[in-house]
Amino acid sequence: MNHLVLPVVLPLLAAFLMQPLARVSRLAARVLGPVVLALCALIILRLWLNYGGAPFVVAIGGFAPPLGIVLYADHLALIFALAVPLFTLLFWPGLGDRSSDPGHGARRDALVLLLAAAGTGLALSGDLFNIYVFYELAAVASFGLASLSGTSRALVATLRYLLLSAFGSVLSLVGIAILYMETGTLNLADLARVAPHTLEGPLGLAAFALMVIGFGVKAELFPLNAWVPEVYATAPARVSALLAGLVSKLAALVVLRLLVLVFHQPEASQLLLALGVLTVLTGELAAWRARDFPRMIAFSSIGQLGIVFIAFSIDGDIGLLAGIAVALHHLVAKSALFGLSVRWNGSLEALAGAARTAPLAAGLYVLLALSLIGVPPLPGFWAKILVLVGLVQGGSALELLALIAILLVTAIEASYLFRVAVRLYQRGKSPPPGHAPWDLGVAMALGAVLLAATLGISPVADSLRSVARQAGDAGLYVDTVFPKTVARKD
Amino acid sequence: MNVLHAVIDLETLVYVGAIGLVAIGGLGLVLSNHLFRMLLALGMAESGANLLLILTGYRGDATAPIIGYGPVGAPMVDPLPQVLVLTAIVIGVGVQAMAVSMLVRVYRAYGTLDIRELRKRMELEVSAAAGIPVPTSEEAPAGERPLPPVPAYRRGHRHVGPGES
Amino acid sequence: MRNLASLLFAGGLAFLLLALGAQLAFGDPAMRVGAEYLHVAGPELGAANLVTAILAGYRGFDTLGELSILFAAATAAGLVLGHRRADAPRDPPGGLILRAGADLLFPLLVVVGIYIVVHGHLTPGGGFQGGVVLAAAFFVAVLADPSRTLDHAAISWIEGLAGAGFILIGIWALVEDGHFLAPLLGTGTMGQLVSAGTLPLLSVAIGLKVGAELAGLMAHLSDTEARDQ
């Protein structure tokens, strides 16, 4: 089990060696990244098939928690730990690169590998400061990747992102300081043990608020999400797919762990609900007004992530189930949409008639749009219905407000997504060119995953239910990290 | 809070300073219009956060956490916040170094570091790249101008052509 | 209007944090893991400097992440700054005092840097601190005379191999001991230069990597042409 560390460490090793290697052999440098990622995916897959369903813990360095850092692997963590190398491979930015400068390519590949390592670390880590470090690694790598195209507009967009993200990190560091001052520990399971005694008051809420705002930058949460549209529009489309699809979910996962394990007070959930509602409204309203394809889907991803946070703020297992369902669905659907935006990166008017040059892509777009809006029997419908049911069961005023907001926003989503769909099938004077085979293939594969989930919705729902139940069980988490059989002086 | 007593108390003074740095840095970041000043404000805020974090390990009358440094059996300060702050400082340095390199490139490309001007130009370029027609101002006079407009005074302003990359 | 709103926001934030912080017990922290570190870190790892013991031992994984962040920043900066044209004019060298001072300081800084890195487990210091001093040695040299360029290939190799060295020590521990980054090679006698097992090795790796990285970053920045064309 201890080789669970390898999917985090091997990409780092490859990234460190990438530039010297590129000076020796260009071919080796180009191949190293995908090979390492495939290896990591295989390691996690093997672990998943063999570990037997009960969550397990890896103590790094052999140091027992809470002194050492632990990696915690339950269903949810392993799903995301597998998704990271897989999606990074599918959206490998170096594919099809024909530039003559080996240094540029080596640096880009190193940054992507660092992003993958950070993502895997975020999914698996069980220590709060370790999560912060990997979060910062993901941030710095994404700054580099967002400015990859080298255009000045990309640099300005990345600078805004950098300033917002760094300020968010300052806030979360203040939150961590307050938390450490009160509890004296950084291990998530240990925090879960002491939180009821020490974090119930306003200090705990303040720490939570600061950390949610800080970690919420990457999760596109209000109020620090102004960077999203321009960065996704100016970054290469595959990078946007990785950031919007994968990295934002990992940030949401971090907030989930904090909410489940450490901050049980209802004010924390209410704060998250309020931020989620604001995120949803601002995101979708802006999407309605967007006039180019990448920014439209960027704003739409803000909206969907708001729904994820609204779901997480609902009490009980149904909230977790709904949130995880929406998050996974968005991971698949939004990545596919950004994959389509590799070629469809212009204004919405320019998409007219695209159904003739790219019929498969147009059909796929319609499928994805229907799923995002939430049309039965697609998975997006089930995910949204779970959120709505959870809100109705909650019944408080804020939750009913969130319900109305989601219904309103669904109507807005339908409007702007269908506008584009209609335009795709219109007669156009100069439709955009067809997609590159790899991008289209990846998007079609993700669409096929959605269809498969539609057909097998019942087993998918059951397995997600068990994932959610395990993720929401704080007692199980604490017992796994601190097994009761070992006599500990506490 | 007994204000007079709090001001004399060294620990609280440092604590107020740390929070103040974070607040001033945040304020500077939000209020400032010049990218480099925003970066400096960010640096201040990071310093404030680091100061606050290291303050969480302070114990009155304790020595450094090095065995053999103070008298045997003397209490030592909490070593963990020092480790955390080390990491946080290095992270801050990395981010600032990267931000400075981007600032250099942006200045070379646009000739200005005013965030309002840069945002406008970025919007124009993104719209132009996407092929969206730029909305003209409702107050602009219709038709041809008889004379070229007189540029307003701007320090370091360079005329950027439409084909700017 | 925007200024007023921002002023209110910052003022509110500051007031809130101050009011909350008044409830924090300064000077008397919770010391839940802190106390345990103070008790066990010395005997278990053999390092006198407990901060380094935690940095390279208990929380070595965090340190690996931190190294990667610095590496990512240097790589991204290299990506953004691009290359320099061969015929671009360089800044003029500094005056005599600056150049003579730089020539004098360079070996001193290198020695101090190496000292801090190697004694990381005994006295305050360690890989990061010493690495920054090492990089400063090169900063001073390049700033005094910009026509002196650093060999980017050499920096790239040192950076890469030092980072790989850190990870490979960890993987060696995974193979030997079953745990990544477990301390190996025993603890030795506390207070000796050769003690604390693999901790000094990790410090050296960190120091080399950080020094090479920051020096390379500085070289890139100073290489960047001042004007476009």
Side-chain angles (χ1 to χ4, degrees), chain A residues 2 5-6 8-9 12-13 15-17 19-20 23-24 59-63 66-69 71 101 104 107 110-111 114 127 129-130 133-134 136-137 140 144 147-148 155 178 180-186 190 193-194 202-203 206 210 490, chain C residues 13 17 20 23-26 29-34 36-37 40 44-45 57-59 61-62 64-69 71-73 75-76 78-80 83 152-153 156-157 160-161 163-164 167-168 171 174 178-183 209 220:
Chain A
N2 283 345
V5 192
L6 287 179
V8 182
V9 165
L12 290 178
L13 183 61
F16 289 161
L17 290 175
Q19 279 169 269
R23 287 173 196 269
V24 168
I60 302 201
F63 299 108
L67 290 186
I69 297 175
L71 296 182
D101 180 7
H104 180 95
R107 289 196 167 99
L111 286 173
L114 289 169
D127 179 281
F129 197 72
N130 196 219
V133 168
F134 280 126
E136 286 299 301
L137 180 58
V140 172
S147 60
L148 199 58
L155 286 171
I178 295 179
Y180 183 73
M181 188 72 183
E182 281 297 291
T183 59
T185 178
L186 291 171
D190 207 19
R193 284 195 299 190
V194 291
L203 270 175
L210 289 168
D490 213 340
Chain C
L13 180 69
L17 289 174
L20 289 171
Q23 301 175 33
L24 289 174
F26 279 101
M31 293 291 284
R32 189 178 165 86
V33 288
E36 208 166 330
Y37 277 131
V40 307
E44 190 169 348
L45 291 177
Y58 292 95
R59 300 188 75 99
F61 205 46
D62 268 351
L64 180 59
E66 179 187 353
L67 279 178
S68 319
I69 292 178
F71 175 73
T75 307
L79 205 57
V80 163
H83 294 301
H152 284 281
S156 176
W157 275 104
L161 289 178
I167 297 183
L168 287 173
I171 295 187
L174 182 63
H179 292 106
F180 182 75
L181 273 185
K209 185 162 180 45
H220 256 123

Side-chain angles (χ1 to χ4, degrees), chain C residues 117-118 121 193-205:
Chain C
V117 168
V118 167
H121 56 293
L193 186 59
V194 181
S195 66
T198 43
L199 255 55
L201 294 177
L202 291 174
S203 289
V204 167

Side-chain angles (χ1 to χ4, degrees), chain A residues 281-319:
Chain A
L281 288 175
T282 52
E284 300 284 8
L285 285 173
W288 192 65
R289 293 176 46 228
R291 297 176 65 188
D292 56 324
F293 192 70
R295 275 194 285 190
M296 183 187 85
I297 51 182
F299 280 120
S300 145
S301 90
I302 297 180
Q304 292 278 325
L305 276 160
I307 297 182
V308 169
F309 282 107
I310 292 177
F312 283 158
S313 72
I314 302 172
D315 226 357
D317 270 351
I318 188 166

Side-chain angles (χ1 to χ4, degrees), chain B residues 85-98:
Chain B
V85 167
L86 231 163
T87 309
I89 292 177
V90 171
I91 294 175
V93 165
V95 169
Q96 282 163 18
M98 217 173 47

Side-chain angles (χ1 to χ4, degrees), chain A residues 425-449:
Chain A
Y425 283 98
Q426 274 174 352
R427 208 156 303 240
K429 283 189 282 281
S430 55
H435 289 82
W438 177 261
D439 294 322
L440 188 59
V442 165
M444 299 287 306
L446 291 173
V449 165

Side-chain angles (χ1 to χ4, degrees), chain A residues 14-32 100-107 109-110, chain C residues 71 74-75 78-79 82-84 150-161 212-213 215-217 219-220 223:
Chain A
F16 289 161
L17 290 175
M18 185 67 76
Q19 279 169 269
L21 191 63
R23 287 173 196 269
V24 168
S25 157
R26 276 196 66 186
L27 182 63
R30 289 194 65 171
V31 163
L32 180 65
S100 56
D101 180 7
H104 180 95
R107 289 196 167 99
D109 290 350
Chain C
F71 175 73
T75 307
L79 205 57
H83 294 301
R84 179 194 188 81
L150 295 178
D151 185 357
H152 284 281
I155 288 178
S156 176
W157 275 104
I158 296 177
E159 219 183 334
L161 289 178
E213 217 143 58
L217 190 57
H220 256 123
D223 264 358

Side-chain angles (χ1 to χ4, degrees), chain A residues 360-447:
Chain A
L360 284 176
L364 180 64
Y365 173 83
V366 173
L367 173 71
L368 294 170
L370 288 174
S371 197
L372 275 176
I373 297 169
V375 171
L378 291 167
F381 166 73
W382 297 109
K384 255 197 194 156
I385 269 291
L386 281 171
V387 178
L388 294 175
V389 166
L391 285 173
V392 166
Q393 278 180 357
S396 74
L398 199 53
E399 285 173 323
L400 289 174
L401 180 67
L403 182 74
I404 297 173
I406 294 184
L407 289 173
L408 177 67
V409 147
T410 308
I412 298 179
E413 266 182 327
S415 145
Y416 67 76
L417 286 175
F418 271 141
R419 252 189 342 207
V420 177
V422 162
R423 188 152 300 151
L424 286 177
Y425 283 98
Q426 274 174 352
R427 208 156 303 240
K429 283 189 282 281
S430 55
H435 289 82
W438 177 261
D439 294 322
L440 188 59
V442 165
M444 299 287 306
L446 291 173

